[in-house]
């Protein structure tokens, strides 16, 4: 989800001090009925919160994006072109154009009339007027350039509704929304991790892109759904991930542009990120929430995420949680508010509570998520108490026990995503052959990978004295030759080098067989051929192979020799270090570590993915 940046917040403070939008109200209200006039009042009242982010670079960026959609490039090619574009461009000075200065009567009138085409339909009849205004009527999604998107998407997707009307069935919210999602799901879309521009993309461009961020695709679905009067919102987990929420007669249905409701987007997403539950869910609204922290904090600094007053906590629409109270022992700065943070490669604030008489209570806290109670003082955000989690047995506080210490053997700094286990399976049943002829007509089977590989260096010791001029690895079916690294050693323990040989067709130039021999575990091979693609080496002279080492396609989060790591544990005052170690193998050993705590292993050499864990029964348990 997007938080308002500092300059934008200052601009909105200035804008909110103005009386009203500078539009010709006589022209705006001239042909509106009573209900539409109330809608106009709603838009005018809240327009003070919004603006368009503008800079000269965007005048080049939008035509560039549009040209990619017409060029027929693949996802990988589009992603690379975008990354090159971002690398070559530096954003020009940003300007903020407040809506109170740019909105016109014609634009608002058109938005209202087009929205009210679908007012009171069977799929939104359950909405109150205030809900219709909030989740159907708004004329923008973020800080994008304003466009007449309702007419654009009506022309493009109107046939979906027309087709349903011919069936003579009652068109419900779920039915219409799901039919639209089935069409949108046919788009080829992929997430892009970076974007140098902080603004949200205009609707006509969202309709073309193949790669973007979750906020882009969520805004896109909002535009399309609202075009046809479907109440649709943007929900999310702080600044991590967002999705669409379709508000039906009896429930909230989560969805994303690549999923129908049956696809269970959030279940699949939680499966991918390895969380059992959602920590807290917030919804962006068009109107201001009077009870928002942004409205009541006074002069006390608050986290950037909570500086947006146009959002509400909707966690109860997703899960039934627990109320968790604290008696605050050390509030040296006299804070009026306390917070809950979670760890996602860094701390993320997810909830807040008022402090009264030395106590605070957080409402509807999810189970199976580790929370860090905290204050916020700007740069310094001291803990309020120990980390905790709600389990079936109740609340568990992770309090370091310095009396009962333990030895810890650590193999990773981040959990293996369940989806990544697929990459390990893609080397199972792969095999190695040697030959003296370049066409491998005299090939000899050297060995087969008969056990599930690990997501780190795997070693195969060989005893045969036979020598080969050529050696190759042949991948099993449905594996696309997904190899991260491959090494061959002679009887003296020396790593062998030679000419890299193998297949020549790959999903992109980023994924060639050179990646298997470049010393970088994170790069990998991705061949066009799904079955029995191969790679190997041609030696100058026949060589005996005594050992093979390899890494499957991986996440590069395992402990690696030659890199520096540091183990931390959390107590009531923050992270405490157990010292840095230079890894000499695929694991680290730490002695005399306080038990019962939450831990974090950081790679001080490279990488950014880090996951908190407890240590139980001699194993890392990821949270």
């Amino acid at each position: 989800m997007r938080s308002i940046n500092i300059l934008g917040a200052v601009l909105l403070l200035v804008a909110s001090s103005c009386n009203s939008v500078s539009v010709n109200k006589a022209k705006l209200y001239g042909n509106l009925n009573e209900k539409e006039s109330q809608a106009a009042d709603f838009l005018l009242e809240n327009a003070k919160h919004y603006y368009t982010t503008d800079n000269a670079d965007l005048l080049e960026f939008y035509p560039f994006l549009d040209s990619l959609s017409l060029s027929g490039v693949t996802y990988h090619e589009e992603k690379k072109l975008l990354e090159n574009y971002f690398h070559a461009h530096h954003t020009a000075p940003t300007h903020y154009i407040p809506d109170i200065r740019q909105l016109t009567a014609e634009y608002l009138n058109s938005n209202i009339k087009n929205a009210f085409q679908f007012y009171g339909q069977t799929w939104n009849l359950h909405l109150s007027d205030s809900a219709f205004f909030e989740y159907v009527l708004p004329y923008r999604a973020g800080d994008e350039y304003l466009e007449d998107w309702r007419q654009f998407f009506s022309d493009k997707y109107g046939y979906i509704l027309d087709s349903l009307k011919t069936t003579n069935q009652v068109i419900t919210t779920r039915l219409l929304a799901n039919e639209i999602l089935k069409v949108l799901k046919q788009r080829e879309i992929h997430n892009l991790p970076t974007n140098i521009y902080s603004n949200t993309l205009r609707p006509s461009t969202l309709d073309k892109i193949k790669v973007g961020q979750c906020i882009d695709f969520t805004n896109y679905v909002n535009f399309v759904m609202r075009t046809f009067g479907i109440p649709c919102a943007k929900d999310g987990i702080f600044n991590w991930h967002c999705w669409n929420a379709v508000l039906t007669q009896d429930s909230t249905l989560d969805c994303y542009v690549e999923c129908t409701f049956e696809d269970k987007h959030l279940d699949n997403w939680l499966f991918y990120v390895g969380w059992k539950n959602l920590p807290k869910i917030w919804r962006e609204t068009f109107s201001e929430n009077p009870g928002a922290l942004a409205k009541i904090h006074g002069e006390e600094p608050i986290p950037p995420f909570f500086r947006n007053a146009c959002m509400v906590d909707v966690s109860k629409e997703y899960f039934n949680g627990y109320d968790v109270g604290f008696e605050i022992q050390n509030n040296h700065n006299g804070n009026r508010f306390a917070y809950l943070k979670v760890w996602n490669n860094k701390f993320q604030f997810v909830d807040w509570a008022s402090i009264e008489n030395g106590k605070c209570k957080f409402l509807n806290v999810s189970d199976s998520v580790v929370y860090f109670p905290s204050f916020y003082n700007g740069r310094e955000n001291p803990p309020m108490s120990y980390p905790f989690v709600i389990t079936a047995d109740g609340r568990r506080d992770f309090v370091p026990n310095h009396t009962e210490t333990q030895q810890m053997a650590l193999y990773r700094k981040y959990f293996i995503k369940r989806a990544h286990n697929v990459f390990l399976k893609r080397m199972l049943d792969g095999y190695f052959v040697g030959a003296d002829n370049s066409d491998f007509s005299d090939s000899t089977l050297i060995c087969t990978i008969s056990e599930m590989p690990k997501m780190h260096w795997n070693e195969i010791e060989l005893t045969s004295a036979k020598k080969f001029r050529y050696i190759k690895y042949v991948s099993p079916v449905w594996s696309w030759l997904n190899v991260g690294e491959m090494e061959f050693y002679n009887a003296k323990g020396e790593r062998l080098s030679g000419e890299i040989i193998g297949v020549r067709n790959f999903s992109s130039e980023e994924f060639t067989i050179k990646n298997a021999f470049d010393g970088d575990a994170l790069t990998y091979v991705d061949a066009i051929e799904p079955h029995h693609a191969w790679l190997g080496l041609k030696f100058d002279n026949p060589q005996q192979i005594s050992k093979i080492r390899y890494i499957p396609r991986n996440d590069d989060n395992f402990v690696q020799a030659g890199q520096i790591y540091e183990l931390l544990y959390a107590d009531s005052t923050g992270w405490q270090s157990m010292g840095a170690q230079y890894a000499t193998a695929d694991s680290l050993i730490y002695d005399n570590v306080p038990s019962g705590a939450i831990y974090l292993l950081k790679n001080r050499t490279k990488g950014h993915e880090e996951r908190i864990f407890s240590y139980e029964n001699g194993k890392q348990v990821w949270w």
Side-chain angles (χ1 to χ4, degrees):
M1 296 177 70
R2 179 181 60 89
S3 297
I4 296 176
N5 57 47
I6 300 300
L7 287 176
V10 171
L11 181 143
L12 291 184
L13 287 174
V14 174
S16 63
S17 67
C18 301
N19 292 326
S20 62
V21 179
S22 55
V23 301
N24 186 326
K25 292 188 178 181
K27 185 178 293 187
L28 171 60
Y29 287 89
N31 67 339
L32 299 180
N33 61 33
E34 180 180 356
K35 193 68 67 178
E36 292 169 344
S37 296
Q38 293 173 8
D41 292 341
F42 174 83
L43 294 178
L44 292 177
E45 178 184 353
N46 291 289
K48 62 187 178 184
H49 301 298
Y50 298 95
Y51 58 92
T52 293
T53 299
D54 182 43
N55 67 58
D57 283 350
L58 291 174
L59 299 178
E60 297 180 13
F61 181 58
Y62 274 117
F64 173 75
L65 274 183
D66 292 346
S67 69
L68 290 181
S69 69
L70 300 174
S71 62
V73 296
T74 65
Y75 148 65
H76 292 297
E77 292 168 336
E78 181 169 328
K79 179 175 180 289
K80 187 66 175 179
L81 288 169
L82 269 174
E83 290 174 344
N84 290 340
Y85 185 94
F86 293 154
H87 181 74
H89 286 72
H90 301 282
T91 55
T94 298
H95 305 284
Y96 301 92
I97 308 172
D99 284 4
I100 61 172
R101 294 287 178 258
Q102 66 175 324
L103 284 172
T104 65
E106 292 81 3
Y107 182 81
L108 287 175
N109 192 285
S110 174
N111 180 81
I112 293 169
K113 286 293 185 181
N114 284 332
F116 269 82
Q117 286 186 61
F118 301 100
Y119 179 78
Q121 299 297 316
T122 55
W123 56 90
N124 59 37
L125 194 58
H126 61 287
L127 296 179
S128 64
D129 286 343
S130 60
F132 185 88
F133 293 170
E134 197 72 71
Y135 303 117
V136 175
L137 180 67
Y139 56 85
R140 66 155 68 247
D143 57 353
E144 73 279 0
Y145 289 123
L146 296 177
E147 290 184 335
D148 185 10
W149 50 271
R150 290 188 190 271
Q151 189 62 53
F152 176 83
F153 290 118
S154 179
D155 292 341
K156 181 163 186 175
Y157 296 116
Y159 72 90
I160 301 173
L161 178 57
D162 292 340
S163 178
L164 281 178
K165 288 180 177 178
T166 65
T167 64
N168 294 321
Q169 59 185 316
V170 176
I171 303 177
T172 63
T173 318
R174 183 186 183 108
L175 175 61
L176 178 56
N178 216 25
E179 289 303 308
I180 290 174
L181 287 172
K182 287 178 182 177
V183 173
L184 300 187
K185 185 181 177 181
Q186 298 171 12
R187 292 163 50 95
E188 179 190 13
I189 68 158
H190 303 271
N191 280 330
L192 181 70
T194 58
N195 187 340
I196 62 172
Y197 301 106
S198 61
N199 69 301
T200 45
L201 298 178
R202 64 189 182 189
S204 60
T205 296
L206 291 175
D207 190 59
K208 301 182 180 75
I209 60 173
K210 291 188 181 73
V211 296
Q213 298 178 304
C214 57
I215 189 173
D216 298 321
F217 300 121
T218 303
N219 286 341
Y220 178 69
V221 173
N222 260 7
F223 284 130
V224 178
M225 294 292 185
R226 291 178 176 182
T227 291
F228 298 100
I230 299 172
C232 192
K234 185 193 306 176
D235 289 2
I237 306 177
F238 36 95
N239 294 309
W240 186 9
H241 181 51
C242 59
W243 57 88
N244 298 98
V246 174
L247 313 181
T248 72
Q249 287 85 344
D250 53 8
S251 64
T252 297
L253 300 174
D254 66 271
C255 61
Y256 198 60
V257 67
E258 61 187 0
C259 299
T260 61
F261 298 131
E262 289 76 15
D263 296 321
K264 297 183 178 181
H265 154 255
L266 275 181
D267 288 350
N268 292 332
W269 183 76
L270 285 172
F271 179 88
Y272 176 75
V273 300
W275 278 25
K276 295 180 180 178
N277 277 323
L278 304 160
K280 207 70 179 174
I281 311 300
W282 294 86
R283 175 172 298 161
E284 287 192 358
T285 58
F286 191 76
S287 63
E288 183 178 82
N289 173 14
L293 184 59
K295 299 295 295 181
I296 66 174
H297 70 95
E299 296 183 359
E300 182 170 322
I302 61 176
F305 174 68
F306 292 113
R307 295 172 195 169
N308 180 5
C310 297
M311 64 180 189
V312 293
D313 182 353
V314 293
S315 302
K316 284 190 175 181
E317 296 186 27
Y318 288 86
F319 57 81
N320 293 318
Y322 304 82
D323 295 346
V324 181
F326 287 90
E327 291 190 7
I328 301 170
Q329 304 299 322
N330 298 307
N331 187 359
H332 300 300
N333 292 302
N335 295 74
R336 295 167 50 218
F337 305 99
Y339 302 90
L340 292 182
K341 301 184 293 188
V342 296
W343 182 266
N344 173 40
N345 295 322
K346 61 180 180 180
F347 278 127
Q348 305 273 9
F349 289 91
V350 297
D351 199 13
W352 64 274
S354 296
I355 299 174
E356 298 179 4
N357 300 320
K359 298 180 180 180
C360 69
K361 181 181 288 187
F362 297 96
L363 305 179
N364 202 44
V365 174
S366 177
D367 64 88
S368 305
V369 176
V370 172
Y371 296 92
F372 293 75
S374 172
F375 298 113
Y376 183 84
N377 298 320
R379 293 184 178 179
E380 298 294 330
N381 306 313
M384 187 182 71
S385 184
Y386 295 102
F388 73 92
V389 65
I390 303 296
T391 69
D393 299 322
R395 172 174 153 184
R396 172 187 177 187
D397 292 322
F398 292 95
V399 181
N401 188 331
H402 294 271
T403 302
E404 297 182 8
T405 60
Q406 60 190 334
Q407 182 184 81
M408 295 173 62
L410 306 177
Y411 292 87
R412 293 182 58 83
K413 64 184 181 71
Y414 196 82
F415 80 110
I416 297 178
K417 293 181 179 179
R418 296 175 186 176
H420 286 181
N421 282 319
V422 172
F423 304 145
L424 305 182
K425 294 178 181 178
R426 287 180 180 176
M427 291 196 74
L428 182 64
D429 296 327
Y431 59 92
F432 297 85
V433 296
D436 291 321
N437 296 329
S438 60
D439 61 0
F440 286 86
S441 58
D442 61 338
S443 64
T444 298
L445 177 66
I446 297 176
C447 63
T448 298
I449 300 175
S450 56
E451 296 183 356
M452 187 67 69
K454 305 297 184 183
M455 193 171 282
H456 53 65
W457 281 106
N458 295 263
E459 293 190 2
I460 302 173
E461 299 287 346
L462 304 171
T463 57
S464 173
K466 190 170 183 178
K467 296 183 177 181
F468 302 101
R469 181 81 185 278
Y470 300 87
I471 188 170
K472 71 177 180 179
Y473 164 74
V474 182
S475 65
V477 297
W478 302 116
S479 65
W480 291 274
L481 195 59
N482 281 175
V483 177
E485 285 295 303
M486 186 79 70
E487 295 179 352
F488 302 99
Y489 291 81
N490 62 19
K492 297 179 180 179
E494 300 169 331
R495 181 181 173 184
L496 298 171
S497 61
E499 178 186 342
I500 300 173
I501 55 176
V503 295
R504 299 182 180 181
N505 297 318
F506 309 96
S507 59
S508 108
E509 294 181 359
E510 296 180 68
F511 305 113
T512 69
I513 54 176
K514 292 181 179 180
N515 289 346
F517 302 96
D518 64 356
D520 185 346
L522 196 55
T523 62
Y524 62 92
V525 184
D526 194 45
I528 291 293
E529 294 91 339
H531 318 306
H532 309 307
W534 65 280
L535 58 80
L537 293 178
K538 171 188 175 182
F539 305 119
D540 291 336
N541 300 297
Q543 298 286 345
Q544 177 190 355
I545 310 299
S546 62
K547 183 171 66 175
I548 300 172
R549 299 180 74 226
Y550 67 90
I551 308 177
R553 178 178 171 180
N554 65 92
D555 60 3
D556 201 26
N557 287 318
F558 53 92
V559 172
Q560 299 179 58
Q563 300 182 18
I564 299 174
Y565 298 84
E566 182 181 11
L567 176 64
L568 308 170
Y569 68 91
D571 68 9
S572 61
T573 61
W575 291 116
Q576 306 299 324
S577 177
M578 288 299 298
Q581 283 193 28
Y582 182 87
T584 58
D586 62 0
S587 65
L588 301 163
I589 302 296
Y590 274 89
D591 293 312
N592 301 315
V593 181
S595 61
I598 282 293
Y599 309 94
L600 184 69
L601 184 64
K602 300 181 76 70
N603 186 332
R604 295 300 187 184
T605 302
K606 66 174 184 177
H608 67 278
E609 287 188 323
E610 298 160 351
R611 189 70 167 246
I612 58 173
F613 60 93
S614 55
Y615 197 75
E616 301 170 24
N617 300 318
K619 294 183 179 181
Q620 292 173 273
V621 177
W622 303 100
W623 294 95

